[in-house]
Amino acid sequence: MLDVSDLSVSYGTIRAVRGISFTLGKGELVSLLGANGAGKSSTLKCIAGALKASGGSITLGGKDITSASPEQVVRAGLATVPETRDVFPDLTVAENLMLGAYIHRRDQAGNRQNLERLHTLFPRLAERSHQPAGTLSGGEQQMLVIARALMSRPTVLLLDEPSLGLAPAIVERIFEMIETLKKSGLTILLVEQNVNQALAVADRAYVMRLGTVVTSGTPDEIRATSDLSAHYLGG
Amino acid sequence: MKHAYLTALILIAVILIIGVGSQLLGIRLYDRIATNLLISLVLVVGLQTFMGNSGLLSFAHIGFMGLGAYTSAVLTIPAQMKGMALPDLYDFMKVVEVSPLVAMLAAGILAAVVAAVVAYPLMRLSDAASVITSFALLVVLYTIMNNWSAFTNGPRTLFGLPKTTDMPIAAIVAAIVVVVALLFKESRTGKLLRASREDEVAAAALGANIPHLRWRAFILAAFIAGIGGALWGHFITSFAPKAFYLKETFLIVTMLVIGGANTVTGAVAGTVLITIAYEGLRSTEGAINATSFGAGQVIGLTEIVLALAMIAVMILKPGGLFPNREIGHIITRARRKKETTA
Amino acid sequence: MAFAIQFVIDVLSLGGAYALMALGLVIIYGILRLVNFAYGELIMVAGYTMFLTSGSGLPWIIMAVLAVVMAIVFGIITDYAAFRPVRAKSVTAVLITSFAFSNLLQNAALLFISPRPRNVPLPEIFSETVSIGGAITPVRNLITIAASIVLLAAVAFLMRKTTLGIAMRAAATNFTMARMLGVPANLIISSAFALSGFLAGVVGILWIGRIGTVVPGVGMEPLLIAFIATVIGGMRSLPGAVVGGFLLALIDTTLNYSLSQDLLKFRDAFTFSLVIVILLWRPEGLIKGPASGQRT
Amino acid sequence: MSETRLAVNDVSVEFTGLRALDHVSLSVSTGEVVGLIGPNGSGKTTLINAITGQVKLATGTIMAGDTRLSGLSPREIALQGISRSFQIVRLFNTMTVLENVEAAALAKGASLAVAAERAKGLLSELGLTAKADELGESLSYGDKRRVEIARALAAEPRFLLLDEPAAGMNDAETETLLHTLSELPKKRGLGLLIIDHDMGLIMRLCHRLHVLASGRTIAEGDAAHVRSHPAVIEAYLGKGAAHA
Amino acid sequence: DDKIVIGGALSMTGIQAPLDTPGYNGAQVAVKYLNDNGGVLGKQIEFINIDGKSDPVTVGNVAVELIDKGAQVIVAPCDFDFGSPASREAQSAGLVGISTCASDPLYSSWSLGDKQFTLSMWNTTMGATAADFAFKEKGWKTAYVVTDQFIAYTKSLSKYFVEQFKADGGEVILEDTYTNGDNNFSAQLARLQALGKKPDVIFVSSYGTDIGVIIRALREVGYDAPILGGDAYDDPAMHQALGEKFGNDVYFVTHTWMGAGADPEMEKFIGLYKDMFGKDPDTSFVSTGWDTIMMIAQAITAAGSTDGAAVAKALEDGQFKLLTGELDYGTNEEGHVPNKAAALIELKGGKPTFVGWRKPETLPKP
Ligand SMILES: Nc1ncnc2c1ncn2[C@@H]1O[C@H](COP(=O)(O)OP(=O)(O)OP(=O)(O)O)[C@@H](O)[C@H]1O
Ligand SMILES: Nc1ncnc2c1ncn2[C@@H]1O[C@H](COP(=O)(O)OP(=O)(O)OP(=O)(O)O)[C@@H](O)[C@H]1O
Ligand SMILES: [Mg+2]
Ligand SMILES: [Mg+2]
């Protein structure tokens, strides 16, 4: 579904990602792990088209999207939940969600249906429909960002630390939701600090360090790798 | 703190070089340009004390300069000239004639007092609201200057100011203003104000009284602008209210922003740079006009090039040439780095 | 009676022009949060287009359409030259570039056209007058009133009934995020500038129609008016801009009719002091825009 | 130093059509660490905003010792010895780290010399001396968090309110933070109120916990008590945590 | 030195440009003519003009620059407010300064110094000519006067018109003010309408494009009385702006008529001008530029040098036959008052036509 090969990303002279490759099969849930600054978010942003790749290629469903614009990537069926809670603070919750469905703005009925589904998933958002998103609590904003990404009805979803700043119960719910989404056929790339929970839901995982992939495999294989915590903690 | 002394030293040296250099060349025009530059320096550094530290864009600065210029004019135009230069002046003021130095101080004080009275309520505002109120304040000051015939001779050119500003005086005032601005920046008010510039909510949560801090800076800036206005008035000797409006505002704001509003070094660098560019372009334009005899005049080229340069600088260095650190600071840091690596 | 009618027509025609000016600005300023100092120059561009095409023998209406098109084109150029490259950087940088761009256009007009006033062609109807209830009024004023009503309604529809308005605000607050949702943010922002240019073009024709000539500095006054109207009415709200425009016209006209000659000179000082007072009382302007998402 | 109490009595806060806090009472004494936890949107940040005067109270009072805080402006409250950090880091980005910390002391009325002295002391205490001359914006996330704490401490507060200081930190950084924070109450005689979703940190650091849900207090007490409280498991910890 | 340098601070941009640019062009024709005919005192003339930008401060700066470049005579912009800074710099450098057409009596040796002159008649003459024409020639008894507060010129022109008109026996029914750039004449209209009387003549003293705006506003609401004004009306752009519809029954006093019947030399000048610019001159300000240079040349020739004091003396003593009429300056004590006649022009269907030369018998005191 999503193929990343030999991808590099640089910020000026800093090389954040140095030629990594990985693949996601259709309906697969793959987790990307690594210490702070390993280059996980940079990889995600690059796939989403928000950053230019300095080398390598990305294909989505057979189409080359290496130098596609973010808009084109979304249209190709990929949605992103970025790590910074990028809500539009002055827009209401409802307006934020409406923008999530921008590419389907002609299909009002479909959007309404999708919105209802998300409202049952996050009842808090239904309650706060007309509140400016900037005034939501930290956790509520995180829910909104996830819901907004799902409004575009993606086939591939990139999640960057979706559990950050969420209450333990909500984190649990989010992971349940991730599993539900996976079951419904969605392909998911998940970046997490929360290693155990990430490995619990993932089909496969890649561990990054200093911009390269150092280990990959099934959760059990990863857990078996003795130096996981060393990589993870940046040791 | 040590780097602040170094900064002061370097900036004063720059002023000295400009002053002495222009004299050594012995060309009257350069003397005039240098004096003009130093007066602009007073104004731009004055603006920096408010804008740089508070982070609020102020358009009203030039209005206070005008206030200073007119105050000093009314106080110093010789009594026998006043009948012609200021026909509508109030009778009791017709006999007043004080020394330009006293008048300059009075100009600063009046500008500061007016600023203190009108600006207090404005200091609560931030962002767009503050930009627009300061813009509105400029228009109010301009309209008053343009119409208060008794005090300013209305929109008409006021003349007859004694010519007392020369290069040394301008240099001395500029040096003093630079030192004052550096001291203010490192003062308690300055530091807290800069904190509020970065994050209003966090600064208030620390206990900073933001409107009051801004108010103090605004008064200081107006005081300096008033002095600068008087200095300019006694240099130019005839002017009209139009000299204190948008074009000039644009020029000094440009100088400050291109240099870097957050630092006094930036204010000085911006003033020097823009003045040189401006004069250079103007003489180029003159040269082009001289060659294409009889053909269409080349007009506005200076402004066009300047505007393009400004856009380019903003794209490449949005914080200006000296966005955060004073020159002294940069030098001490560089030296320390070298020591540690050596 | 004639006096009252005269007063009402004055307020409405002036207010209509003011409201259109303000609307063109508020699209950039209120929605994109950008202060566009070059807005006045779009009006200038419309004026010069009329002047430059005046010898061509085209029917007036075609010249007018061309003028509006040029204003739109320059609106888009403003975006490309002054905003797009610095948008992500700092508020001051944006302000300065737009100020610089305004200077640039004005001086380009000086250099390439002329510092002197140039005549613009006006249709016969612009200098005709009608008598309504005893008050003699130029037809131009009635056209202004009609144009303002139609355009205000059109813009309101565009912003309310389509996602365009929301997409504009989103693109302005978080450009990259908007794109990551599939919003063609650059296009959306350019379209805001195009819309602003369109309004400036129409205003330009109506406004320059009052004066009959165009000079490089012709845009200054409309810019100031638009600024004040926007501030009075509400900086972030479209209806606010409209209300502000009409209110400003009411204030101006009332001051005109009632202030003594000596005080009238200070009219601008009064108006702008009022702006300051309104801002102190309600920093958001009279009509609040959509609630802001600021919190601690 | 004698013990003082920061007392929140029966406080409610309302936003349009929403009661974010509903008759909440809570207290922190100097020398004590109190944890404030609860689901997202339960009103934790709002409670800190209420104490520091950033939002208006609908009911109730807030006292620090004998001084009434409710009704004062954020500035006056800060001068009463209440310092806070923010859920999203708010450093003074283009000032140096040293100046960031100095500003807090200056705001409380310290002289320039005293402020510089105190700021240097705090930076060395938090291991930031090497960064003193760097600009706030150039720091890594963990360092930023530490500067924020140093800044709050430079005001010599009697009460320190921290909003999710560990969010986004990895385990190693969280560990260091735990260490720093746990020493504060004794060493500086201050009362600490801390919000975080990292239960590992909270359970080990806090003497007492206070749990909010939908703006109401649902439980109070020590870690063991709260951890096993059914309402807390239901609303906040989730079933997973119960058998973790 | 093998050449005589004349420095000009004329404004090519801004509100002053419509008056200064033609003067500049006229001056260039004169310079070429003189140089083609052997120069002055056997030397070639060089005319350097730097744009004064309609800004008194720039004009002053420009004058200093010109003096630095060796200018021996300074040509100042065509107005007291915009031009006097150049004259002041000339005076302090000991040079003669001449404004091409500043007409406010402040442009005198009293206020500027003993080496300063203006080529134009003063507003005393211009205002009085208009008043006499209205009252004595046309028999218009009542006047409505609008004064732009913009510059000394606009204010004093109205002042002298009113003085003379009243002295002649006329009645001023309303004196109103306006400030340049307002673009909105409705307040003044409201006051005029409130009066309920229609004046016989309307005197509008304004500047730049605003003149056209005011005239249109008056005409549009039905005030069709003749309109009278000063040399600021001598701007083809304004005539064109008024067009066929509004450009009627407008009279103004100016420096000369650019066509047959004004001056025997005029035809020659027009020919030279056409050679240089390829079209006919369209405003009398062109002549003021030519005249200024030609008069400077005559004075230098008479003085035998470019020394400031000597040239000033030659100007005081001389009698000059110019395209803009015969000119004879008063002494330094008399303020260098220019004794001169004025030309009257009428707009018909947007086109100017020559009415004739006029010189009032009595003048108001400056
Ligand atoms: N805008 C930027 N400019 C310069 N360097 C950057 C920028 N963003 C990230 N980096 C650098 O790129 C590297 C990778 O960062 P990235 O955010 O991808 O890491 P990450 O694995 O997502 O870390 P975290 O777990 O902290 O989110 C880091 O060294 C970081 O400092
Ligand atoms: N200005 C406001 N207007 C309207 N509602 C608000 C405003 N500020 C906060 N709220 C609401 O009040 C509730 C409490 O918010 P608060 O920020 O205190 O939650 P929190 O407990 O800190 O949550 P989190 O753990 O997610 O940060 C939330 O539902 C939020 O949406
Ligand atoms: Mg990351
Ligand atoms: Mg919170």
Side-chain angles (χ1 to χ4, degrees), chain C residues 86-287:
Chain C
V86 289
R87 212 164 39 207
K89 291 181 176 158
S90 82
V91 183
T92 336
V94 169
L95 240 130
I96 298 291
T97 47
S98 88
F99 216 128
F101 192 68
S102 151
N103 254 23
L104 185 82
L105 288 183
Q106 267 196 43
N107 283 288
L110 279 180
L111 183 61
F112 298 116
I113 301 178
S114 165
R116 302 183 50 177
R118 292 298 181 205
N119 292 305
V120 293
L122 296 175
E124 202 41 39
I125 195 163
F126 264 49
S127 43
E128 274 163 14
T129 55
V130 290
S131 168
I132 301 174
I136 300 167
T137 309
V139 176
R140 194 185 57 231
N141 280 354
L142 303 181
I143 296 176
T144 307
I145 295 175
S148 66
I149 293 170
V150 170
L151 289 178
L152 297 182
V155 171
F157 173 82
L158 206 60
M159 302 306 277
R160 281 267 170 75
K161 298 289 171 203
T162 66
T163 23
L164 188 66
I166 297 172
M168 277 181 189
R169 281 158 62 199
T173 41
N174 194 332
F175 188 76
T176 315
M177 192 60 232
R179 294 185 69 187
M180 283 163 73
L181 294 176
V183 177
N186 269 324
L187 190 71
I188 291 277
I189 290 183
S190 283
S191 70
F193 277 92
L195 190 55
S196 172
F198 171 73
L199 290 166
V202 175
V203 167
I205 292 169
L206 294 171
W207 187 249
I208 292 171
R210 296 171 85 95
I211 313 169
T213 53
V214 51
V215 285
V218 76
M220 179 66 204
E221 205 190 349
L223 175 74
L224 275 180
I225 290 167
F227 247 137
I228 309 168
T230 317
V231 167
I232 296 180
M235 289 175 270
R236 302 179 46 236
S237 121
L238 296 179
V242 175
V243 169
F246 280 101
L247 202 63
L248 183 64
L250 179 69
I251 294 168
D252 267 7
T253 315
T254 312
L255 288 179
N256 269 348
Y257 277 63
S258 64
L259 230 48
S260 81
Q261 239 188 80
D262 287 330
L263 288 178
L264 190 61
K265 299 188 292 188
F266 293 98
R267 192 189 66 203
D268 282 358
F270 282 115
T271 320
F272 279 87
S273 303
L274 191 76
V275 170
I276 294 177
V277 170
I278 288 180
L279 273 184
L280 289 173
W281 171 48
R282 297 185 77 134
E284 290 239 33
L286 291 180
I287 296 186

Side-chain angles (χ1 to χ4, degrees), chain A:
Chain A
M1 197 63 207
L2 181 69
D3 284 290
V4 172
S5 82
D6 201 26
L7 183 73
S8 297
V9 181
S10 305
Y11 299 95
T13 54
I14 303 170
R15 290 184 58 204
V17 178
R18 305 158 182 239
I20 66 165
S21 307
F22 59 88
T23 56
L24 270 78
K26 190 165 163 49
E28 213 181 4
L29 197 164
V30 170
S31 186
L32 207 53
L33 306 171
N36 286 109
K40 309 180 296 288
S41 302
S42 305
T43 307
L44 247 55
K45 281 188 206 151
C46 188
I47 297 172
L51 273 179
K52 271 218 171 65
S54 54
S57 71
I58 309 165
T59 53
L60 176 66
K63 253 197 312 189
D64 181 34
I65 57 161
T66 315
S67 51
S69 70
E71 297 96 300
Q72 289 167 328
V73 174
V74 178
R75 275 170 213 285
L78 186 141
T80 313
V81 174
E83 73 183 320
T84 44
R85 293 172 187 151
D86 278 328
V87 297
F88 301 111
D90 292 349
L91 300 183
T92 63
V93 171
E95 286 169 334
N96 266 280
L97 290 173
M98 192 161 147
L99 277 179
Y102 187 85
I103 55 171
H104 304 296
R105 63 190 181 286
R106 308 249 179 278
D107 178 16
Q108 297 281 353
N111 288 340
R112 217 168 300 127
Q113 211 180 341
N114 200 9
L115 187 65
E116 262 164 42
R117 190 172 63 90
L118 290 168
H119 275 167
T120 47
L121 202 54
F122 300 109
R124 181 49 66 86
L125 296 181
E127 289 163 31
R128 297 285 194 271
S129 247
H130 298 291
Q131 188 171 324
T135 65
L136 293 175
S137 86
E140 289 164 348
Q141 293 189 8
Q142 185 69 22
M143 299 177 206
L144 175 57
V145 175
I146 296 173
R148 193 180 57 188
L150 293 175
M151 283 297 286
S152 73
R153 307 178 214 162
T155 51
V156 178
L157 181 65
L158 309 184
L159 289 167
D160 199 347
E161 304 198 22
S163 68
L164 187 74
L166 291 184
I170 306 275
V171 174
E172 228 167 75
R173 277 243 299 285
I174 298 259
F175 277 95
E176 280 166 18
M177 177 202 78
I178 290 174
E179 275 182 296
T180 323
L181 290 173
K182 187 186 132 190
K183 282 197 196 105
S184 70
L186 200 60
T187 309
I188 300 174
L189 179 60
L190 171 69
V191 168
E192 255 304 335
Q193 294 268 7
N194 204 330
V195 190
N196 290 327
Q197 261 166 324
L199 290 180
V201 293
D203 297 321
R204 282 183 304 116
Y206 293 82
V207 179
M208 284 184 75
R209 186 183 175 194
L210 297 176
T212 54
V213 171
V214 288
T215 319
S216 63
T218 64
D220 291 336
E221 288 165 5
I222 300 275
R223 283 199 200 91
T225 317
S226 56
D227 63 348
L228 168 68
S229 80
H231 286 309
Y232 197 72
L233 299 178

Side-chain angles (χ1 to χ4, degrees), chain E:
Chain E
D1 272 353
D2 57 346
K3 57 186 180 186
I4 294 172
V5 181
I6 300 176
L10 302 180
S11 296
M12 302 292 117
T13 50
I15 192 162
Q16 189 61 23
L19 314 186
D20 272 3
T21 328
Y24 170 76
N25 293 344
Q28 286 194 324
V29 177
V31 170
K32 180 162 190 299
Y33 175 76
L34 287 171
N35 287 341
D36 289 349
N37 290 284
V40 176
L41 300 180
K43 297 178 188 175
Q44 290 283 295
I45 292 182
E46 190 184 357
F47 179 56
I48 309 172
N49 189 71
I50 304 177
D51 186 2
K53 298 189 173 167
S54 305
D55 169 33
V57 174
T58 310
V59 168
N61 287 335
V62 160
V64 172
E65 199 174 332
L66 290 165
I67 293 165
D68 248 34
K69 285 188 169 160
Q72 287 146 309
V73 179
I74 294 293
V75 175
C78 172
D79 175 75
F80 175 75
D81 284 271
F82 300 117
S84 59
S87 264
R88 256 179 238 112
E89 294 298 344
Q91 180 70 23
S92 70
L95 302 183
V96 164
I98 302 180
S99 166
T100 50
C101 46
S103 62
D104 191 277
L106 278 172
Y107 222 109
S108 64
S109 54
W110 297 321
S111 66
L112 296 174
D114 64 353
K115 299 181 186 65
Q116 307 310 312
F117 300 82
T118 175
L119 183 93
S120 168
M121 72 203 114
W122 277 354
N123 274 351
T124 42
T125 306
M126 209 184 287
T129 304
D132 286 356
F133 172 74
F135 192 87
K136 293 183 179 163
E137 257 182 83
K138 293 288 191 178
W140 298 324
K141 304 274 185 270
T142 58
Y144 163 55
V145 178
V146 182
T147 309
D148 188 339
Q149 300 293 305
F150 183 45
I151 43 178
Y153 160 82
T154 52
K155 276 188 85 172
S156 72
L157 182 60
S158 286
K159 180 176 149 214
Y160 299 123
F161 170 82
V162 169
E163 267 179 44
Q164 185 86 349
F165 193 69
K166 283 183 180 162
D168 288 345
E171 185 202 350
V172 175
I173 59 168
L174 179 63
E175 271 190 75
D176 211 339
T177 58
Y178 169 87
T179 302
N180 204 280
D182 267 2
N183 275 332
N184 185 347
F185 200 66
S186 60
Q188 287 80 353
L189 281 179
R191 275 193 292 274
L192 180 58
Q193 282 164 335
L195 218 59
K197 282 190 276 190
K198 285 207 168 184
D200 294 340
V201 60
I202 299 170
F203 188 81
V204 179
S205 174
S206 184
Y207 219 63
T209 36
D210 285 21
I211 299 171
V213 174
I214 296 174
I215 295 176
R216 279 174 72 101
L218 282 163
R219 293 291 194 239
E220 276 177 357
V221 297
Y223 285 91
D224 46 13
I227 290 172
L228 204 51
D231 61 342
Y233 284 47
D234 200 348
D235 174 8
M238 196 269 275
H239 306 162
Q240 222 185 320
L242 287 178
E244 261 177 65
K245 184 158 182 192
F246 296 117
N248 289 303
D249 238 357
V250 175
Y251 301 85
F252 58 90
V253 184
T254 186
H255 307 278
T256 189
W257 167 244
M258 300 309 294
D263 191 278
E265 294 284 299
M266 190 59 87
E267 223 159 300
K268 181 178 96 188
F269 170 69
I270 292 175
L272 289 169
Y273 185 92
K274 241 180 148 162
D275 288 347
M276 195 155 179
F277 296 105
K279 57 182 180 204
D280 280 334
D282 51 6
T283 156
S284 71
F285 290 108
V286 175
S287 299
T288 65
W290 161 277
D291 280 356
T292 305
I293 299 295
M294 296 308 276
M295 184 171 77
I296 290 171
Q298 273 187 53
I300 290 176
T301 312
S305 86
T306 55
D307 173 67
V311 177
K313 176 107 185 23
L315 283 168
E316 280 174 20
D317 295 346
Q319 288 268 353
F320 302 95
K321 274 187 60 68
L322 305 169
L323 295 178
T324 57
E326 280 180 32
L327 172 59
D328 171 18
Y329 284 112
T331 61
N332 184 31
E333 288 69 41
E334 291 164 337
H336 291 162
V337 52
N339 292 310
K340 224 179 168 190
L344 250 168
I345 311 272
E346 180 184 358
L347 276 191
K348 280 185 188 159
K351 298 267 179 300
T353 54
F354 188 43
V355 179
W357 288 100
R358 297 289 187 276
K359 191 161 187 182
E361 285 149 25
T362 59
L363 288 179
K365 270 213 195 58

Side-chain angles (χ1 to χ4, degrees), chain A residues 124 128 131 135-140, chain C residues 295, chain D residues 15 18 20 39-46 87 164 197:
Chain A
R124 181 49 66 86
R128 297 285 194 271
Q131 188 171 324
T135 65
L136 293 175
S137 86
E140 289 164 348
Chain C
R295 70 169 281 188
Chain D
F15 299 114
L18 168 74
N40 299 109
S42 56
K44 304 180 296 296
T45 302
T46 306
Q87 188 162 355
E164 300 197 22
H197 291 299

